[in-house]
Amino acid sequence: MYDSLGLDLKGLSEQAFLDAMEGFDELKKEGLLKNDSIITVIDFDQPSINKRMYVLDIKHYQVLFNTWAAHGRNSGSLMATSFSNAMSSNKSSLGFYLTDEPYYGGNGYSLKLKGLESGVNDKAMVRAIVLHGADYVSQSSINELGYLGRSFGCPAVPRALSRPIIDVIKEGSVLFIYNSTYHPAARYAAG
């Protein structure tokens, strides 16, 4: 699938894809997925100026979206290099998430994310780590800053794409935030 979708040409590392699919398969076996057609991979090994978010339809072998995704302001500027699960850290959390329900909040139409990895991202709900649109996720921010604008830890996407992405991935699909420095012992702890 990696080769047939041309994901290498779109910048997604093969290791990120393989890790994502391994976790997806495990979560599917555990019966946690309501939507087992879609997987979202955010590759934080790439700089923020790259379109490093991939929404994949794995049943129909399609790349549905390939766009920018912001990382937390305290995770780094151009590159995300520091991650945390702590309250008020303003850092991104890595690992596997299950998408929850959409809602309207301070950033408009947004999507709740349930972190599945104990000590890694399981505080996502209490930290209000959600997928949302933001004006700072844009070419104009890159032009002005030299990197994408940053969030308080949320994987923010371009405002114009937030609703279409949320409507595709909401309510029970896998979202995986990858970085090559992250090798959890209990990667798929669903707790």
Side-chain angles (χ1 to χ4, degrees), residues 4-185:
S4 67
L5 292 177
L7 294 173
D8 57 335
L9 302 175
K10 295 183 185 316
L12 182 62
S13 79
E14 188 170 14
Q15 192 59 56
F17 177 77
L18 292 172
D19 285 1
M21 292 309 298
E22 184 181 348
F24 174 90
D25 290 342
E26 186 62 32
L27 294 168
K28 186 175 177 181
K29 278 186 217 161
E30 292 175 19
L32 293 174
L33 308 184
K34 289 183 193 169
N35 181 347
D36 64 358
S37 298
I38 303 294
I39 185 168
T40 303
V41 183
I42 301 173
D43 183 358
F44 277 170
D45 267 2
Q46 296 183 44
S48 66
I49 59 173
N50 288 12
K51 293 185 174 181
R52 58 189 179 172
M53 178 184 198
Y54 307 81
V55 179
L56 310 174
D57 181 335
I58 57 177
K59 290 220 169 135
H60 299 101
Y61 285 73
Q62 290 181 298
V63 178
L64 301 178
F65 299 95
N66 178 205
T67 191
W68 293 298
H71 55 255
R73 63 175 51 174
N74 289 337
S75 283
S77 53
L78 179 63
M79 300 294 295
T81 56
S82 182
F83 308 98
S84 177
N85 194 33
M87 294 295 293
S88 304
S89 67
N90 292 336
K91 292 184 180 185
S92 296
S93 297
L94 300 173
F96 287 90
Y97 296 80
L98 197 59
T99 62
D100 205 82
E101 61 190 11
Y103 70 100
Y104 286 93
N107 290 300
Y109 193 59
S110 303
L111 181 64
K112 294 178 182 176
L113 300 173
K114 180 182 180 194
L116 299 176
E117 298 187 54
S118 181
V120 175
N121 64 17
D122 60 337
K123 291 190 170 105
M125 285 280 198
V126 295
R127 289 181 63 205
I129 300 300
V130 301
L131 190 140
H132 64 81
D135 294 332
Y136 55 78
V137 184
S138 63
Q139 186 63 55
S140 60
S141 286
I142 292 170
N143 294 346
E144 180 183 332
L145 302 170
Y147 50 84
L148 203 61
R150 295 162 297 157
S151 68
F152 292 126
C154 297
V157 299
R159 193 170 298 281
L161 292 178
S162 60
R163 179 176 288 276
I165 289 172
I166 289 169
D167 286 345
V168 166
I169 72 172
K170 67 184 179 182
E171 298 170 351
S173 75
V174 171
L175 184 144
F176 176 54
I177 301 179
Y178 173 82
N179 180 272
S180 59
T181 62
Y182 176 60
H183 302 288

